[in-house]
Amino acid sequence: MPPIPGSGLAKGLAVTLRTMTKKTVTAQYPDVQPELPPRTRGVIGLFEENCTVCMLCARECPDWCIYIDSHKETVPAAVPGGRERSRNVLDRFAIDFSLCMYCGICIEVCPFDALFWSPEFEYAETDIHELTHERDKLREWMWTVPEPPALDPHAEEPKEIAAARKAAEKAAAQAEAQAAAQAEAEARTQEGQQ
């Protein structure tokens, strides 16, 4: 059976009429900021105080887009007669976001929690060379990192916390028993003196 002439036009107009009556979902982006999911990968923020310059992030980066420079500094002995220690001091921490593929390996391997995902995504530049952001900019992005989600109230308590709570309760019970025994002993000695 041959198609009816103009049926395609009628179907197209029906779709148009259906969508005309629905509310639009266009986001007015520059004026209204979008609601981002909680685990959005925008840029990487640096919490400089936690960075020990271990270089794990730079070594594990598949794109080699993390640049770290440091120097060693001698720290005087903490106690008299102790020995001096040396520590690494961060001079430069930069990430080239024109190379970064946002895999998150650097964040995962950081043993000291110095790197975090920030939902910040507006960092476009007119020149590709300006996409290498230094530690000052990475530190600014650190303050846009959202707090971690609250723990599930129905989740099991971690074993470490449960063990610590049991040990504290046991120590408190022993302290109470000792205090009661001491009070009883003192009461007996006072009775014996009278």
Side-chain angles (χ1 to χ4, degrees):
M1 172 167 161
I4 301 172
S7 64
L9 178 65
K11 286 180 184 176
L13 287 173
V15 169
T16 303
L17 289 173
R18 260 196 316 257
T19 56
M20 280 177 52
T21 60
K22 292 181 181 175
K23 186 178 178 182
T24 61
V25 291
T26 304
Q28 305 299 325
Y29 165 63
D31 301 325
V32 179
Q33 291 295 319
E35 290 250 351
L36 299 172
R39 296 181 63 184
T40 299
R41 292 184 176 192
V43 292
I44 297 169
L46 171 68
F47 191 55
E48 198 174 327
E49 287 79 12
N50 286 357
C51 184
T52 60
V53 196
C54 66
M55 303 284 212
L56 271 176
C57 55
R59 276 187 265 142
E60 295 295 327
C61 180
D63 291 334
W64 291 84
C65 64
I66 299 175
Y67 310 110
I68 301 174
D69 291 330
S70 67
H71 70 275
K72 287 207 181 272
E73 214 174 66
T74 303
V75 180
V79 294
R83 70 180 181 98
E84 294 179 338
R85 305 212 179 251
S86 65
R87 68 179 182 106
N88 288 328
V89 177
L90 186 66
D91 292 330
R92 179 181 187 222
F93 193 105
I95 299 177
D96 188 352
F97 284 103
S98 65
L99 294 176
C100 182
M101 63 181 185
Y102 304 91
C103 63
I105 293 175
C106 56
I107 295 169
E108 294 295 323
V109 300
C110 182
F112 301 103
D113 289 333
L115 297 172
F116 294 89
W117 281 117
S118 167
E120 194 70 31
F121 62 91
E122 296 174 319
Y123 57 96
E125 300 288 346
T126 56
D127 186 12
I128 196 168
H129 299 294
E130 294 175 5
L131 281 172
T132 301
H133 293 289
E134 298 293 329
R135 69 181 184 182
D136 297 333
K137 188 67 174 175
L138 299 176
R139 185 177 184 79
E140 285 178 30
W141 284 331
M142 180 59 209
W143 306 121
T144 63
V145 172
E147 289 186 22
L151 296 175
D152 183 8
H154 304 294
E156 245 182 66
E157 187 177 45
K159 293 175 185 171
E160 296 86 357
I161 294 176
R165 179 173 289 115
K166 285 179 184 176
E169 289 172 357
K170 185 177 179 181
Q174 287 176 348
E176 284 180 23
Q178 286 178 349
Q182 188 177 7
E184 188 176 317
E186 287 176 5
R188 286 184 186 162
T189 53
Q190 286 180 359
E191 286 178 8
Q193 288 176 357
Q194 291 176 357

